[in-house]
Amino acid sequence: MGDKKVNTYSFFNSRLTSIISIALVLFLLGLICLFGLLGNKLSVYVKENISFSILLKDNQKETDIQRMQKQLDELPFIKSTEYISKEQAAKELEEELGENPETFLGFNPLQASIEVKLHSAYANPDSLAMIEKQIQSYTSVSELLYRKDMMELVHSNMTRMGIILLILAAMLMAISFVLIGNTIRLLIYSKRFLIHTMKLVGATPGFIRAPFVRYNVVSGILAAVLAILMLTGALYYLQNELRGFVQILDLPTLILVFVTVLLLGVLLSVVATVFAVNKYLRTGGDKLYYM
């Protein structure tokens, strides 16, 4: 009776250790996946909120400006436009400087303009050169103002961040497979003689693998659920610390991360189990004592 209790305790202890180990690995994979998706959304958000100004020539008719703005809105690379009149520009400058420029100059030196925001796919140096050439072809345009250096810096930094996250994800995926594989191999190690016995009585490899796969699929699902709970806790903490950053995370992205973690938990567990069982299926009985 005592031996039975010890074996039961040992069984649950080893399974719990396995689940926690796999959950920690899945948690790290989930974080990389989450930051990758957030990084992409952050890149889109930043690029689509960098605007440039189309300065208009003086004495332009209101109807001509409205027609031009409508034409700009129909272009595939433009997300939104906003017309700013000379009077509105002077008012905004007065709010910044605390004094109206007309007061000490006697006239309004500012030009009317159209503020343009691009779709993120076009906010890169190559597309900007084409866009600049196309917009300057309008007769009402006096000048195009934008921070080319800043747009190039944002584009290069976002590209670099994406490459770094991709490399980290690939490295972590390889490390996680090794860690999960070692964890499952240790669980199957105690059953190596049972595998050999089943092989001797004529059981097929598929029949021998099936119970181990089912067992570890359940462990993978439990580990994935635990990892999802840990990710939820981490997001709750981030929500309190980085409110502006977490606002870019929407429900579909969150669901995608959770589903990915669940699928990885099952997939990595199945693959690692098959590899581990196959190792003992290929090993002769005399070598099992020295493993």
Side-chain angles (χ1 to χ4, degrees):
M1 190 71 177
D3 290 341
K4 187 177 180 180
K5 287 183 178 180
V6 170
N7 290 335
T8 303
Y9 173 78
S10 177
F11 169 79
F12 282 110
N13 187 46
S14 62
R15 184 160 198 178
L16 181 61
T17 304
S18 169
I19 289 172
I20 292 174
S21 301
I22 297 171
L24 289 173
V25 173
L26 292 176
F27 171 70
L28 292 176
L29 282 172
L31 279 181
I32 291 293
C33 181
L34 182 64
F35 286 140
L37 292 173
L38 283 179
N40 183 58
K41 292 174 72 67
L42 181 61
S43 173
V44 171
Y45 176 81
V46 170
K47 289 180 178 179
E48 291 188 347
N49 279 276
I50 297 177
S51 61
F52 61 88
S53 300
I54 302 173
L55 299 184
L56 304 175
K57 295 177 181 177
D58 290 331
N59 303 320
Q60 293 294 310
K61 293 181 180 179
E62 195 73 22
T63 53
D64 292 337
I65 295 174
Q66 289 177 357
R67 190 187 310 113
M68 177 185 170
Q69 186 177 6
K70 186 177 180 181
Q71 290 174 350
L72 289 173
D73 286 331
E74 292 174 354
L75 294 174
F77 49 80
I78 289 181
K79 180 186 177 185
S80 64
T81 60
E82 181 186 0
Y83 172 62
I84 299 176
S85 64
K86 289 170 64 75
E87 294 74 19
Q88 185 180 346
K91 186 177 179 181
E92 291 178 358
L93 187 61
E94 182 181 2
E95 290 176 357
E96 291 180 10
L97 301 180
E99 190 173 359
N100 194 315
E102 291 187 61
T103 304
F104 54 89
L105 291 177
F107 66 97
N108 186 354
L110 303 175
Q111 294 175 267
S113 64
I114 297 177
E115 295 292 317
V116 175
K117 291 183 179 179
L118 302 174
H119 288 292
S120 60
Y122 296 92
N124 58 74
D126 295 334
S127 298
L128 284 170
M130 177 271 295
I131 292 169
E132 182 178 1
K133 184 177 180 180
Q134 185 169 346
I135 290 177
Q136 285 180 336
S137 65
Y138 289 94
T139 55
S140 300
V141 175
S142 169
E143 191 179 354
L144 206 63
L145 295 180
Y146 67 95
R147 291 285 306 276
K148 186 176 181 180
D149 56 340
M150 185 176 69
M151 287 191 170
E152 290 178 349
L153 182 64
V154 168
H155 177 71
S156 61
N157 284 343
M158 291 301 176
T159 303
R160 192 179 299 115
M161 186 175 70
I163 293 173
I164 291 172
L165 284 174
L166 188 62
I167 293 172
L168 283 175
M171 290 174 60
L172 190 56
M173 182 68 75
I175 293 170
S176 16
F177 179 76
V178 172
L179 290 175
I180 291 175
N182 287 337
T183 302
I184 291 175
R185 192 177 294 113
L186 287 173
L187 284 174
I188 298 175
Y189 176 77
S190 60
K191 307 291 184 182
R192 64 191 188 281
F193 290 108
L194 176 61
I195 292 173
H196 181 65
T197 302
M198 294 174 69
K199 187 170 63 172
L200 290 177
V201 298
T204 63
F207 182 83
I208 296 173
R209 280 192 295 263
F212 293 102
V213 170
R214 285 195 298 268
Y215 176 89
N216 286 300
V217 163
V218 174
S219 295
I221 292 173
L222 293 175
V225 171
L226 181 57
I228 288 170
L229 292 175
M230 293 165 66
L231 282 170
T232 305
L235 286 174
Y236 180 78
Y237 173 78
L238 286 175
Q239 187 177 9
N240 294 328
E241 297 295 324
L242 305 169
R243 293 182 182 276
F245 183 70
V246 177
Q247 283 177 359
I248 64 175
L249 178 65
D250 54 10
L251 186 59
T253 302
L254 197 58
I255 292 174
L256 178 61
V257 172
F258 288 167
V259 170
T260 301
V261 169
L262 184 61
L263 291 177
L264 283 174
V266 174
L267 180 63
L268 291 175
S269 296
V270 169
V271 173
T273 301
V274 170
F275 272 88
V277 174
N278 284 349
K279 176 184 176 182
Y280 295 115
L281 286 174
R282 293 192 299 265
T283 305
D286 54 331
K287 296 181 180 179
L288 293 175
Y289 294 94
Y290 304 102
M291 296 183 71

